[in-house]
Amino acid sequence: MKNFLFLKHHFNDAIVFNMNARLINIICVLFITVLFSSVVNAQSYNLNKLDNNLSDFAEKWNNPLEEWGHVGAIRLDSVKIDESRKVLSYYFNKPLSYIPWRNDILDTFINSILEYQKDSFPNYGVLAYTNSYELSSLIPNVFNDSEALDTERIYAQEKSYHIKRKEQDDYPKGLSGSHLALWHSHGWYYESKLDRWEWQRARLFGSVEDISPMVYVLPYIAPMLENAGAVTYIPRERCFSISEIIVDNDWSSEGGRLVLKKKINSTSKNGFIFKDTLFAGDNPFMLGTSLLISDAKGKVADYIPLIKDKGEYAIYVSYQQDEANSDKVTYTIHHSGGTSSYIINQQMGGGTWVYLGTYLFNDGKESRVEVSGVGQVSLDAVKIGGGMGNVARRPSNEIMPNQWSLNNTGAQKKEAVSVDPDEFTWKTSQRPRFMEAGRYWLQYAGMPDTLVYSLNDEKNDYNDDYQSRGEWVDYLMGAPNGPTKDREVEGLKIPIDLAFAFHTDAGVTPNDSIIGTLGIYSAERDSGVFPNGQSKLASRDLTDVIQTQIVDDIRALYNEKWTRRGMWDKQYSEAWRPNVPTMLLELLSHQNLADMKFGLDPHFRFDVSRAIYKGILKFQAYQEGRDYVVQPLPVDHLGLTETKKGYQLIWQPVMDSLEATAVPSKYKVYTRIGNNGFDNGTVVQGTTYELPKIKKGQILSFKVTAINEGGESFDSEVLSIGIATKKAEKVLVVNAFDRISAPAFVDEGDFAGVAWWDDEGVPDKYEYAYTGNQYDFNRQSPWLDDDSPGWGASYANEEGNIIKGNSRDNVMIHGQAILKAGYSFISVSDEVFESAGFDASSFKAVDIILGEEKTSVSYKGNAPKYKIYTTAFMNKIKRLTANKQRVFMSGAYVGSDIKLNNDTLANDFAADVLRFKWRTNHAVKKGSVCSTDYAAPVFKGQFEFNTSHSQEYYTVEAPDGIEPVGINAVTAFRYSENNVSAGTLYNGEYKTVILGFPFETVMNEKERDKLMKQILTFFFKD
């Protein structure tokens, strides 16, 4: 309710009156009842007539806002009559501001009021206000088709580069030169009142809010932004490896050393030093030293780590910033795929960890980070990998509630207990650092405690955590945009353009409808302007652009009824503390099964992440007054083919139906030699690439990205080729395992949830946010607390584990075994294999990788995808067998996919051509397999494939039991657990070997090699 004094203050020359109002329920109709409490110089006739008509306003008003009924109850607080200008101004309460206003909606809204008041106040105009803003000012500049743009919302930073990768193109219509801060939810934190580490939300449906947004931000959003040229800053560990290697002038991990190539001029009193445990007040960047070279003229140092375990590791570097430092210091990372270089401006961003990239490193000492520059160069530490949390916590001297004690009757009761901190041990998280809350990363990364992350006297880590994110953004920038307690602190001088906070909120709908997407911003504090003078309505614009993009894309791709919730202008800490345009996103409800059916799907994660990236791109482009181009989608139809001159890689671009600008203009082909990492790529203009000469016994692998002025796409699948000898027979390997998917769900009234026993789904490369299986499926189970959350409750046994999914790199495993057996191989995607123009007749044997491929139904249109037995696939196999070619096919659903589709044609094809039939799925729990006497002497021995969660092999939770059909077909393998047939052999006019489990999941390399050699010996022996 706006009172008279408020209105008089703002409209001193106007006729003002107050009114009370009933709630306006705009789900169906808008009811307004106005009681005039004071009238100043108004015409009583017109006012009385207006009052009489307001009671039936709902019936006469063509309400354009009915679809926004879910944003909250809307009231008309007051009306002002300006007789001199002949204008009626309507003042609504705050929920009206939650609507994404556009010119057409505003016109309809105003015209409907004009139509209502025309009899009482003919020739009077209308203005409408909410949350102290006139409605037209809530239309984002980017969507405003009028000329009345708000220039105070537009602010573009000067392009001052902090980090730039040498090999990366500039993307003039992407995000080159942009500095973006983003983060994901809360994380594992210490609750001092309970003296334990915990999540801030409950484990539900196999996940938890503290880490579920992480699987959008780290694998998708940050790389998309970086592929557009931006530098991203994240206040949480972004490396998933639990190993951590430090190379430093003060102390290095075992076997690591810093080799100086230039005389040191001085040693700074400030710098990083590793401590195995950090306590309250410890700043590792203030406890060590750093080195300074004042006259560098090239290479100055090598940081040489000892890598004990081959794997992918993030690389971080540190230095001390100084205005006298060089702004072009080159850090060259020597990794297994070659070298990658970054140029860093050491005049900013010092005294903390600076993320460069993530690379594959072989074990040993062949890797290093080389530093070179001209002028003054600072040297501190290099960090490789993520590591385990090392910040220790214990209660401070405070009162701890909820402690049980016995009263004089012997009954238990709760009472407050005074705490002596010395009686409690220090506790670290015992979790990988990537799972921890940002507050602990910020301490480990050298942020000043009282300005950034210790804001509640060490008494409340939960509050410190969510409050620290915005203060960290401000410290990255420094004066005049510094943290709340010191706006003028120097900070790190990084020109942050915007901030983005990603959460999934709570809520359950009784009918299991979608709760949907909420946007939050803050425009009220500091008189509605940032320290640089930019209007805080820029945060609303950012929120509107991103939320619009998300909802539009989800409705187009997944669910046309996806709920767009409101845009709240509220004082959430993560929204108001950053001194740049900021959005806090609540994507969906992690408590609501209908939302989580989408939230657990890798496709959904990718598409939502792409929508967020597009929203940020479009907002930033508008701020800078330029056009934008969206980076392309990944290419497909990848194939390796033989030509007269050698071998050629082919592919096709994928057009984006949602974004006309996402068209490739060129491509980049990345090459890998053997088991090393990929190189930095070769740019090509067309959709073919002539392979370099392949050495005998060498495996080359390739992946492709698409590029345009807006950036670079994600990678394609990986194909490989290997030549044993010039005369060796070639095996065609077909990569037909494309599937990534959410797990199965069950919904039978009061029994509902994640059907992990049926299908665990297939992660996109890896799953990092799985907590454990759901165990409470009763919809009526009540929430008691986060330790007993009722329906959806899940175990915690998988937290911290990395679960492998579809790497899209399975050809390599097959190819290695083929090459060791003495045969050459070449590979194509299933799209190329099935195409009419591809001729496979020259290959005596074909190896088809089906993995966990099986038919899935798309969210919109019910169109099947990932179906194995398409008409094109079956026709191609028929031509192969008619030509007496050999077929090896392995996969967990080779028979189940037929049963799933109740496909008579596929059933006949399997029996008549491949010579097998489906018997059962979920054939075994353990993956032990042995050969049968029927298959001797062709096959002999035993082996084991993976049926559990692993970082090295994807999980085969439902292998098929398949049986032979017809003469010359036999059971070649049985599952040791129950003697169910695990694989078949056909030795007739042609030959087939079909396995009910994926070959690439056989865990022992020697066993894989032996099995492949036996298969190929059977195929090629006349």
Side-chain angles (χ1 to χ4, degrees):
M1 174 68 65
K2 291 188 169 52
N3 58 41
F4 178 78
L5 293 177
F6 173 86
L7 291 172
K8 186 175 181 180
H9 174 74
H10 285 83
F11 304 98
N12 200 26
D13 59 344
I15 301 173
V16 179
F17 53 91
N18 282 346
M19 61 178 69
N20 296 316
R22 297 177 184 175
L23 296 180
I24 305 175
N25 182 348
I26 58 172
I27 296 176
C28 299
V29 291
L30 182 64
F31 291 97
I32 303 176
T33 302
V34 181
L35 302 175
F36 296 95
S37 57
S38 65
V39 178
V40 182
N41 295 329
Q43 298 180 14
S44 59
Y45 171 80
N46 286 343
L47 285 176
N48 288 334
K49 191 171 183 181
L50 180 64
D51 188 19
N52 292 333
N53 286 341
L54 279 173
S55 63
D56 62 353
F57 191 61
E59 297 180 9
K60 294 185 176 180
W61 189 21
N62 180 23
N63 174 25
L65 305 178
E66 291 183 1
E67 66 176 295
W68 296 101
H70 55 275
V71 301
I74 297 176
R75 297 189 311 271
L76 178 61
D77 288 338
S78 58
V79 176
K80 180 196 69 169
I81 304 174
D82 188 335
E83 292 186 325
S84 62
R85 293 190 301 159
K86 292 190 176 299
V87 171
L88 266 68
S89 296
Y90 294 78
Y91 294 88
F92 294 89
N93 68 336
K94 200 171 184 177
L96 190 63
S97 70
Y98 299 166
I99 296 169
W101 288 96
R102 302 290 186 268
N103 292 98
D104 57 344
I105 298 175
L106 179 62
D107 290 345
T108 303
F109 184 82
I110 296 300
N111 287 336
S112 63
I113 298 176
L114 283 170
E115 178 66 23
Y116 156 73
Q117 71 177 32
K118 65 180 181 181
D119 293 335
S120 303
F121 290 88
N123 303 319
Y124 270 67
V126 168
L127 291 173
Y129 295 84
T130 177
N131 195 27
S132 301
Y133 297 105
E134 197 269 317
L135 284 185
S136 65
S137 69
L138 298 183
I139 302 173
N141 280 333
V142 68
F143 296 134
N144 200 334
D145 53 16
S146 70
E147 297 181 359
L149 301 181
D150 184 356
T151 58
E152 293 183 355
R153 301 187 207 181
I154 302 173
Y155 183 86
Q157 305 268 16
E158 291 186 11
K159 295 295 184 184
S160 178
Y161 284 90
H162 177 210
I163 309 167
K164 183 173 175 60
R165 190 170 54 134
K166 271 189 175 181
E167 296 84 6
Q168 188 177 58
D169 291 341
D170 277 322
Y171 301 117
K173 295 184 180 180
L175 290 166
S176 288
S178 296
H179 299 79
L180 311 174
L182 62 156
W183 58 86
H184 43 283
S185 192
H186 295 265
W188 191 245
Y189 80 100
Y190 177 74
E191 174 53 79
S192 63
K193 294 178 180 179
L194 298 176
D195 186 34
R196 72 173 191 178
W197 289 75
E198 65 180 20
W199 299 122
Q200 63 95 26
R201 291 276 176 87
R203 299 173 180 91
L204 296 167
F205 305 116
S207 189
V208 64
E209 200 270 349
D210 299 66
I211 53 174
S212 61
M214 176 183 70
V215 293
Y216 296 79
V217 171
L218 295 187
Y220 298 121
I221 300 175
M224 287 175 183
L225 296 170
E226 290 160 358
N227 283 359
V231 179
T232 62
Y233 300 86
I234 300 176
R236 292 179 67 176
E237 175 61 66
R238 64 169 87 195
C239 182
F240 296 110
S241 171
I242 62 173
S243 298
E244 181 181 46
I245 302 157
I246 301 293
V247 182
D248 187 23
N249 62 294
D250 290 310
W251 177 91
S252 297
S253 302
E254 179 186 350
R257 59 197 177 100
L258 171 60
V259 179
L260 298 173
K261 304 294 184 179
K262 187 74 176 176
K263 180 182 177 181
I264 299 301
N265 299 97
S266 65
T267 300
S268 170
K269 65 180 180 180
N270 292 332
F272 177 83
I273 190 170
F274 179 79
K275 283 187 65 178
D276 60 359
T277 306
L278 295 177
F279 300 101
D282 284 350
N283 184 334
F285 280 86
M286 300 295 290
L287 299 175
T289 64
S290 60
L291 306 176
L292 189 67
I293 298 172
S294 61
D295 58 348
K297 295 180 181 178
K299 185 175 179 179
V300 296
D302 276 331
Y303 291 82
I304 304 175
L306 172 61
I307 307 292
K308 293 186 177 181
D309 298 304
K310 178 179 179 179
E312 287 193 340
Y313 297 92
I315 298 291
Y316 298 86
V317 301
S318 64
Y319 52 87
Q320 295 298 309
Q321 72 186 45
D322 191 298
E323 290 183 357
N325 285 350
S326 170
D327 63 353
K328 293 181 177 64
V329 179
T330 300
Y331 289 78
T332 301
I333 303 167
H334 295 253
H335 51 87
S336 68
T339 61
S340 300
S341 296
Y342 293 82
I343 300 173
I344 293 183
N345 180 355
Q346 284 198 349
Q347 296 171 6
M348 61 174 69
T352 187
W353 293 121
V354 176
Y355 172 75
L356 298 185
T358 298
Y359 297 92
L360 180 69
F361 292 90
N362 292 328
D363 53 0
K365 285 192 172 184
E366 65 180 59
S367 303
R368 71 182 191 276
V369 177
E370 176 186 316
V371 185
S372 60
V374 176
Q376 183 166 296
V377 176
S378 172
L379 299 174
D380 199 356
V382 168
K383 166 177 142 68
I384 302 172
M388 298 291 289
N390 67 333
V391 176
R393 307 297 290 154
R394 69 177 182 180
S396 59
N397 187 13
E398 61 180 14
I399 300 298
M400 293 182 66
N402 301 328
Q403 303 299 309
W404 289 104
S405 64
L406 293 175
N407 61 22
N408 55 11
T409 65
Q412 286 186 329
K413 67 175 183 178
K414 288 183 180 180
E415 62 180 21
V417 177
S418 180
V419 171
D420 180 0
D422 292 335
E423 294 180 0
F424 288 80
T425 59
W426 290 94
K427 297 175 177 65
T428 58
S429 71
Q430 304 298 305
R431 296 294 179 95
R433 191 175 278 123
F434 74 82
M435 299 184 75
E436 288 187 339
R439 177 250 178 267
Y440 311 107
W441 167 257
L442 293 175
Q443 180 173 357
Y444 185 59
M447 296 296 104
D449 51 3
T450 57
L451 290 184
V452 174
Y453 67 84
S454 184
L455 307 175
N456 295 277
D457 300 322
E458 297 289 337
K459 294 181 179 180
N460 191 325
D461 283 14
Y462 176 74
N463 287 359
D464 278 347
D465 178 52
Y466 71 75
Q467 293 170 7
S468 68
R469 293 32 168 352
E471 303 297 343
W472 162 76
V473 172
D474 297 341
Y475 186 76
L476 290 180
M477 294 185 289
N481 302 303
T484 303
K485 293 182 180 180
D486 187 358
R487 292 288 191 226
E488 298 304 315
V489 69
E490 181 183 62
L492 300 189
K493 300 183 178 180
I494 298 172
I496 300 296
D497 293 290
L498 58 86
F500 175 75
F502 193 150
H503 291 259
T504 53
D505 62 355
V508 179
T509 55
N511 58 356
D512 212 19
S513 60
I514 298 293
I515 287 179
T517 300
L518 170 70
I520 301 171
Y521 67 99
S522 176
E524 293 183 4
R525 287 179 178 253
D526 304 315
S527 301
V529 296
F530 294 116
N532 62 13
Q534 183 182 18
S535 168
K536 287 192 173 184
L537 282 179
S539 290
R540 179 185 170 94
D541 286 6
L542 174 67
T543 301
D544 198 343
V545 172
I546 294 176
Q547 188 189 32
T548 298
Q549 191 73 63
I550 291 171
V551 174
D552 286 352
D553 286 7
I554 292 176
R555 287 176 176 174
L557 297 173
Y558 294 92
N559 187 326
E560 62 187 11
K561 295 182 179 180
W562 187 267
T563 305
R564 176 168 186 164
R565 299 166 66 189
M567 288 186 293
W568 294 352
D569 182 358
K570 294 189 177 182
Q571 301 308 300
Y572 283 69
S573 187
E574 293 173 80
W576 73 259
R577 289 179 185 269
N579 285 320
V580 288
T582 301
M583 177 191 188
L584 194 166
L585 170 69
E586 299 282 5
L587 174 66
L588 48 74
S589 171
H590 67 275
Q591 275 186 268
N592 195 51
L593 184 60
D595 292 62
M596 289 305 292
K597 286 179 180 178
F598 296 96
L600 295 177
D601 188 335
H603 290 286
F604 182 85
R605 293 172 181 176
F606 175 89
D607 290 324
V608 165
S609 298
R610 185 166 168 87
I612 293 167
Y613 142 70
K614 290 191 293 184
I616 291 173
L617 168 68
K618 293 175 182 181
F619 172 83
Q620 193 61 21
Y622 191 90
Q623 290 290 303
E624 296 175 1
R626 58 177 177 81
D627 294 333
Y628 68 84
V629 169
V630 173
Q631 63 192 222
L633 288 170
V635 305
D636 65 6
H637 285 73
L638 211 64
L640 286 164
T641 60
E642 191 168 2
T643 67
K644 293 181 180 179
K645 296 182 179 180
Y647 297 93
Q648 185 182 68
L649 180 68
I650 60 173
W651 61 89
Q652 291 182 13
V654 174
M655 296 297 105
D656 188 345
S657 62
L658 303 182
E659 183 52 60
T661 68
V663 178
S665 58
K666 55 186 176 180
Y667 303 89
K668 186 175 283 190
V669 178
Y670 293 85
T671 303
R672 178 180 67 198
I673 301 174
N675 288 313
N676 292 317
F678 283 93
D679 65 9
N680 292 312
T682 301
V683 175
V684 298
Q685 298 301 318
T687 57
T688 61
Y689 174 72
E690 303 300 324
L691 270 58
K693 186 176 180 180
I694 304 171
K695 296 179 181 179
K696 176 183 175 181
Q698 183 184 73
I699 296 179
L700 294 182
S701 302
F702 303 92
K703 61 182 181 179
V704 181
T705 62
I707 299 173
N708 60 20
E709 290 182 288
E712 184 174 6
S713 75
F714 273 29
D715 304 336
S716 68
E717 63 187 294
V718 179
L719 294 182
S720 303
I721 183 172
I723 304 300
T725 65
K726 288 185 178 180
K727 295 183 178 180
E729 291 274 11
K730 292 188 183 70
V731 177
L732 176 65
V733 181
V734 179
N735 183 27
F737 179 22
D738 302 312
R739 178 176 171 243
I740 57 173
S741 73
F745 295 90
V746 59
D747 195 346
E748 299 175 355
D750 282 344
F751 186 84
V754 181
W756 49 264
W757 59 87
D758 182 20
D759 183 357
E760 294 185 1
V762 183
D764 183 2
K765 296 185 178 178
Y766 295 97
E767 174 61 55
Y768 306 100
Y770 186 59
T771 65
N773 291 340
Q774 178 183 344
Y775 61 82
D776 189 328
F777 291 83
N778 186 354
R779 282 184 180 272
Q780 304 307 316
S781 293
W783 181 93
L784 300 179
D785 62 22
D786 284 352
D787 291 333
S788 181
W791 178 45
S794 304
Y795 292 111
N797 59 299
E798 296 282 4
E799 290 177 5
N801 294 336
I802 296 173
I803 301 171
K804 188 169 184 177
N806 188 353
S807 66
R808 298 179 296 164
D809 192 11
N810 295 297
V811 171
M812 179 69 171
I813 300 175
H814 287 243
Q816 286 176 322
I818 292 170
L819 205 61
K820 288 179 184 178
Y823 300 91
S824 300
F825 75 95
I826 192 170
S827 56
V828 296
S829 66
D830 55 337
E831 297 92 351
V832 170
F833 175 71
E834 294 179 13
S835 65
F838 180 73
D839 182 6
S841 62
S842 63
F843 299 97
K844 195 171 182 179
V846 178
D847 174 4
I848 302 173
I849 303 172
L850 289 173
E852 288 205 305
E853 194 85 348
K854 73 171 181 179
T855 303
S856 303
V857 178
S858 63
Y859 287 96
K860 292 192 70 175
N862 295 321
K865 57 183 178 180
Y866 303 133
K867 185 178 181 180
I868 295 176
Y869 298 100
T870 63
T871 300
F873 178 82
M874 291 188 290
N875 287 339
K876 187 71 72 171
I877 299 296
K878 287 178 182 178
R879 284 196 288 272
L880 293 177
T881 54
N883 197 33
K884 294 182 170 51
Q885 293 168 266
R886 284 71 164 146
V887 176
F888 168 42
M889 197 166 80
S890 67
Y893 303 109
V894 292
S896 295
D897 200 51
I898 299 171
K899 182 69 173 178
L900 179 68
N901 290 290
N902 194 24
D903 192 334
T904 302
L905 289 177
N907 187 73
D908 293 343
F909 167 79
D912 298 340
V913 179
L914 296 176
R915 303 302 176 103
F916 81 93
K917 64 180 179 181
W918 174 83
R919 175 57 64 193
T920 183
N921 64 351
H922 293 275
V924 287
K925 187 68 175 176
K926 297 180 181 179
S928 296
V929 178
C930 60
S931 60
T932 68
D933 289 341
Y934 296 120
V938 175
F939 295 111
K940 56 184 176 180
Q942 57 188 21
F943 47 88
E944 188 167 353
F945 64 92
N946 182 58
T947 59
S948 59
H949 292 159
S950 165
Q951 189 170 341
E952 296 184 39
Y953 303 96
Y954 64 85
T955 309
V956 185
E957 72 274 25
D960 265 357
I962 58 174
E963 295 182 345
V965 173
I967 60 173
N968 298 323
V970 299
T971 291
F973 302 98
R974 293 192 185 278
Y975 296 114
S976 302
E977 181 179 319
N978 54 17
N979 288 327
V980 169
S981 177
T984 63
L985 173 156
Y986 172 69
N987 187 8
E989 61 271 31
Y990 54 90
K991 299 179 180 181
T992 67
V993 173
I994 314 297
L995 301 181
F997 57 90
F999 170 85
E1000 61 273 15
T1001 62
V1002 174
M1003 295 181 287
N1004 185 286
E1005 184 177 351
K1006 291 183 179 180
E1007 292 176 358
R1008 281 201 312 272
D1009 294 343
K1010 181 180 178 181
L1011 176 59
M1012 181 63 77
K1013 187 171 183 178
Q1014 290 177 349
I1015 293 171
L1016 296 180
T1017 299
F1018 166 59
F1019 279 174
F1020 287 101
K1021 183 179 179 180
D1022 293 330

